[in-house]
Amino acid sequence: MTFERLPFDAETHLADVRMFQQEGFGAVYLIDDERKAIVETGTSWNVTSILEAVRTFGLRPGDIDALVVSHIHLDHAGGAGFLLDSMPRAKVYVHEQGFKHLVDPTRLVASARKALGSEEADLFGTMRPIPAERVVAVKDRDRLSMGKHSLVFFDSPGHAPHELTILDERNRCVYTGDAAGLYFPGDEILMPVTPAPAFDLEQNIETFRHLLTLQPRALLFSHYGPHRNPRAAIEAMMTAYPTWSRVVKEKLATEGESAVLRELYDMSCRTAKRYPRDFLERRIRVSITGLAAYHERMEHASSSR
Ligand SMILES: [Zn+2]
C-alpha cells in the first residue's frame, strides 16, 4: 500500500488500506504540508499497512502531527489509538461528542458489536483507549492549519451525531467521512450508509444541503476516494436516502429482509462489476438494520408524545 498524489493537489495523497480485504473501499489521506496530517485511520487491522505507507512515502511516523477522524466508528477511528504509539507528536482531532469515547472506548466497541453482529464486528476490529491529552475535541467551524492547507470542520450529523465533514480551503475539497454515503469508483455506484444505532434521515438531508453550499471541487469519500462531480453526487444521495428509508419502512416487516435487500441492490448496484455482489450486499444489510432502528425510534417518539 502506497500514498498516491491526488490529481488536483500537490500535497494531498490517498492510500487504499484494502479495508475488509476489498480493494477500493478504505481510503486514508495524507496531507504533506509544513505540518503533516492523516485523515481517517482505518480499523485496528489496517494499522501496520498505514505505518508502512507513511515510511514508503518517505516520512517517519514520528513526523505526523495530526490524525483527523471524521467520526468515531471503528472503520474510521479504530486505528488511531494504535497509530499513536509510533507517532509521539500526533494528536487526534475528533468531534466533541466523540471525545469521551476515544478516551474510553468500552461502550463504543460494545455498541458496534451489537449493531453489526459478532461476525461483521470482527472485521471492524477494536479500539485502544487514547490519553485525553492527546485528543482534541473539535466544534463546528473550528480550524486546523497545516501550513498552506487550512482545514475547517463542520458538524455534520445524520450518519452519526459525532460526524464531521472537513473542508480544505486550499484545494476546496471536502472530506465527507460517511456523511455523504458511499462511493464505489469504477462501478460509479453511489449508495446510502445509514447504520444503527443513531442514523437520522432529516439530519443527514440537512448535512447534504450544507455540503452543497460549500460548492466543493471534489468530495473526498472515506469509502472511497475523490468524486469529481459533487453536485451530481449529493443530489443523487438526496434522492436515494429518502427512497431507501421508505422501502425499508413499507416493506421490511411485510416482505422480509431478503426482498428489501434485492430491491435496494437492484436500485443502486446494477452497474456493479469491480465490487463483488456479496460485498455490496453486506454494506446494504448494515443500512437496512440502521433504517429499521431509525423508524422504530421515530415511531416510539411520536407515540410517546
Ligand atoms: Zn465507514
Side-chain angles (χ1 to χ4, degrees):
M1 167 185 146
T2 51
F3 282 105
E4 314 267 350
R5 187 166 101 69
L6 292 185
F8 40 83
D9 185 273
E11 293 93 24
T12 307
H13 307 262
L14 160 65
D16 181 354
V17 301
R18 296 189 59 88
M19 187 176 283
F20 312 142
Q21 318 291 344
Q22 173 63 47
E23 174 192 309
F25 187 68
V28 169
Y29 295 90
L30 169 70
I31 304 170
D32 177 30
D33 203 342
E34 286 158 39
R35 301 181 352 111
K36 323 283 179 199
I38 287 180
V39 182
E40 302 293 40
T41 64
T43 72
S44 55
W45 299 111
N46 303 135
V47 170
T48 317
S49 49
I50 294 171
L51 291 172
E52 224 174 76
V54 169
R55 291 194 190 96
T56 309
F57 184 78
L59 292 173
R60 287 163 307 171
D63 297 331
I64 305 296
D65 300 282
L67 294 176
V68 176
V69 297
S70 66
H71 61 301
I72 59 173
H73 287 161
L74 288 158
D75 54 324
H76 299 259
F82 300 91
L83 287 169
L84 283 181
D85 279 353
S86 318
M87 301 179 170
R89 282 227 303 257
K91 291 196 173 185
V92 182
Y93 292 76
V94 66
H95 191 288
E96 55 183 336
Q97 286 192 40
F99 178 90
K100 66 171 189 274
H101 298 289
L102 293 193
V103 175
D104 177 8
T106 321
R107 273 183 51 207
L108 175 66
V109 173
S111 132
R113 279 206 102 69
K114 196 167 159 239
L116 293 164
S118 69
E119 191 194 332
E120 190 74 22
D122 287 343
L123 300 171
F124 278 74
T126 187
M127 266 188 165
R128 171 183 290 183
I130 303 175
E133 65 273 17
R134 300 196 69 186
V135 187
V136 180
V138 169
K139 290 191 193 60
D140 188 43
R141 283 160 216 271
D142 275 359
R143 292 167 165 277
L144 173 63
S145 171
M146 307 310 301
K148 288 184 245 169
H149 290 255
S150 198
L151 303 179
V152 188
F153 297 94
F154 295 105
D155 197 10
S156 303
H159 177 80
H162 43 77
E163 179 88 35
L164 294 164
T165 53
I166 304 139
L167 171 71
D168 182 326
E169 289 186 315
R170 183 172 173 86
N171 59 27
R172 300 290 310 166
C173 293
V174 176
Y175 296 92
T176 53
D178 286 350
L182 307 178
Y183 169 49
F184 297 89
D187 290 346
E188 299 311 305
I189 293 168
L190 291 165
M191 182 195 283
V193 58
T194 61
F199 170 73
D200 187 297
L201 179 64
E202 302 304 320
Q203 290 184 343
N204 216 136
I205 299 290
E206 262 319 298
T207 290
F208 290 141
R209 289 203 186 102
H210 179 252
L211 287 172
L212 285 175
T213 66
L214 296 176
Q215 301 189 294
R217 178 203 288 191
L219 301 177
L220 303 178
F221 283 87
S222 299
H223 315 288
Y224 175 89
H227 190 292
R228 303 293 291 273
N229 193 345
R231 174 163 290 277
I234 294 166
E235 285 173 354
M237 293 297 191
M238 288 175 94
T239 308
Y241 272 67
T243 307
W244 278 42
S245 172
R246 185 169 38 77
V247 169
V248 169
K249 188 175 183 182
E250 288 172 359
K251 298 189 174 168
L252 186 61
T254 48
E255 297 181 26
E257 200 210 26
S258 25
V260 169
L261 177 63
R262 206 175 318 122
E263 181 164 348
L264 297 181
Y265 184 90
D266 288 344
M267 206 183 278
S268 306
C269 304
R270 278 183 193 284
T271 54
K273 253 189 168 142
R274 175 185 185 190
Y275 292 88
R277 180 163 190 140
D278 175 63
F279 186 82
L280 295 168
E281 286 188 343
R282 276 165 176 259
R283 313 277 74 78
I284 298 173
R285 268 199 216 100
V286 169
S287 285
I288 294 175
T289 308
L291 283 168
Y294 165 69
H295 290 307
E296 208 172 290
R297 229 167 50 236
M298 290 297 108
E299 268 161 45
H300 188 77
S302 64
S303 67
S304 63
R305 215 172 272 148

